[in-house]
Amino acid sequence: AEVFHYNDTVRRRTAIFVGRDYLISKISGSSHNWAIFGGRRIGKSSLLLAIEENLSERPNQRVVFHSMLSTAGDQGDDALAAALWQNLSKRLRLSASDPLRIVRTVEEFRQHIQQHLDSNPDDLITIMIDEIDQYLSRGKSRHQIIEAFRALADRNPARFRVILAGFTLLYDCLQGRGPYAPESDPWTRMFTDPKPLPNLNSIQAENLIKEGFYRILGWQFERSVVPQMIVQRTSGHPAFVQHFCRKLQEIVGARGDRMIRIDDVERVFADKDPNYSFRAYVRNTFVMNLDSVSQYLIYNIAREAEQSRRFTIAQLQDYARLNGDTIPEDQIKASLDKLNVTGVVHESTRGVYEFAVPDYPLLLKELGETKHLEDLENQVLAAIGVHHA
């Protein structure tokens, strides 16, 4: 049975979807604009789809969901406006002959939406865009579609709203590092108090494990501590939990006794197959999310922080000294940003960082093998322009 999913979008109606109910309810019930950012495979797309399902069930709510990955060819402002309006016009049931049926520019998009809201005072419109980094990556001097969103949201509070999901480029814009001056920045004025999408907490992760094995498959745990062991070894990352459980399902399914044993958990965690193991999947995820500098620093910190689970900027700078060469300060800062965006760490007090999940150091320590760190060190030296004979 396909119970655990880790490389595709999870829908609440067709797969296990645990741990995001509070956030779904909070965003769905809010009248604010939301920006959801986080690392790849953390569950942003699944969260957006769950919010869309929730909103679409409400009367007078017109919801548009658009993924930038589905946008072929031109991803400019006018093309995006036209694609969004084509989708929205279906929700508004506009006929093919309606003069409002066609949009060619961002300004027409803004005008058509405003005209509809003026004529239909009970309607609510929510625009949802996934993978917004695809749009931002074009290096625009202006984000005209975002400017239009802000104008509509300001004029129609609680009736027009935007929910976006993305990665590092979205995070940069939210931090005021986009193409705008502070006094004219639509990003910082439109979205308030953005935070990275977190991993599941221990209770949520345990519920996911028990839902799949106990309630769906009808399997048993050798001891009650087994789900907690899985949580500890996956750090509550949704995709890591699902991948680990899929590996367990393969082992126990082959044995045929429907009993998940402590030895099974240890076997999955200890497997070092370079392509198909749990470790390989986690390492691949870090490669997708983090550059070599960020990986090198966090693997080394994890070796020392397993007990305290926190570190200072001074400790990080110590690891930035390699054979007499030093990683530049701007790259250390960029690494901390990426580690924050991906939910690995967060700044608890000024200059002091904590692992976002207490069990992350254990997982990272196991991944940071000597040979792997040596390879990363060579990549870091190349990245900072150092070449040793």
Side-chain angles (χ1 to χ4, degrees), residues 291-336:
D291 58 83
S292 57
V293 174
S294 303
Q295 292 180 65
Y296 179 81
L297 292 175
I298 200 62
Y299 281 136
N300 274 295
I301 283 292
R303 292 157 65 113
E304 304 297 328
E306 187 174 355
Q307 299 303 320
S308 66
R309 299 188 174 93
R310 64 176 56 191
F311 59 92
T312 65
I313 189 68
Q315 288 175 294
L316 200 65
Q317 289 168 336
D318 284 341
Y319 286 112
R321 301 183 180 93
L322 310 174
N323 301 322
D325 301 298
T326 302
I327 300 172
E329 287 291 329
D330 61 336
Q331 291 196 33
I332 297 176
K333 175 63 168 61
S335 294
L336 283 170

Side-chain angles (χ1 to χ4, degrees), residues 140-303:
K140 303 169 186 293
S141 59
R142 287 177 59 192
H143 302 145
Q144 295 181 53
I145 196 71
I146 304 300
E147 294 174 17
F149 289 162
R150 186 198 164 201
L152 287 165
D154 285 350
R155 184 169 174 180
N156 308 278
R159 296 190 60 212
F160 178 88
R161 57 195 295 245
V162 178
I163 304 173
L164 307 178
F167 190 31
T168 54
L169 296 181
L170 173 59
Y171 175 75
D172 285 342
C173 288
L174 296 171
Q175 296 298 309
R177 296 197 290 263
Y180 294 92
E183 63 274 8
S184 61
D185 194 335
W187 291 95
T188 55
R189 296 166 183 269
M190 187 172 173
F191 302 97
T192 56
D193 195 28
K195 293 182 175 64
L197 184 62
N199 289 341
L200 304 177
N201 63 37
S202 59
I203 295 175
Q204 294 166 340
E206 276 194 52
N207 286 340
L208 189 157
I209 295 162
K210 293 174 180 177
E211 178 73 18
F213 284 128
Y214 182 72
R215 299 185 183 92
I216 296 178
L217 292 175
W219 292 6
Q220 301 294 319
F221 300 106
E222 178 186 31
R223 293 176 57 188
S224 60
V225 74
V226 168
Q228 299 167 26
M229 293 176 63
I230 299 172
V231 174
Q232 185 181 30
R233 284 152 181 77
T234 58
S235 299
H237 187 294
F240 296 173
V241 175
Q242 300 250 18
H243 188 279
F244 199 100
C245 289
R246 175 76 71 85
K247 289 293 181 183
L248 283 172
Q249 186 182 355
E250 292 170 0
I251 292 172
V252 178
R255 190 169 62 231
D257 62 358
R258 302 163 66 90
M259 176 68 70
I260 305 152
R261 306 182 185 281
I262 291 177
D263 287 348
D264 299 329
V265 175
E266 299 296 356
R267 177 180 169 186
V268 171
F269 193 62
D271 184 5
K272 296 184 179 181
D273 186 288
N275 298 310
Y276 304 108
S277 65
F278 169 71
R279 291 189 182 198
Y281 180 79
V282 174
R283 186 168 289 156
N284 177 258
T285 302
F286 279 121
V287 171
M288 291 172 62
N289 284 303
L290 303 172
D291 58 83
S292 57
V293 174
S294 303
Q295 292 180 65
Y296 179 81
L297 292 175
I298 200 62
Y299 281 136
N300 274 295
I301 283 292
R303 292 157 65 113

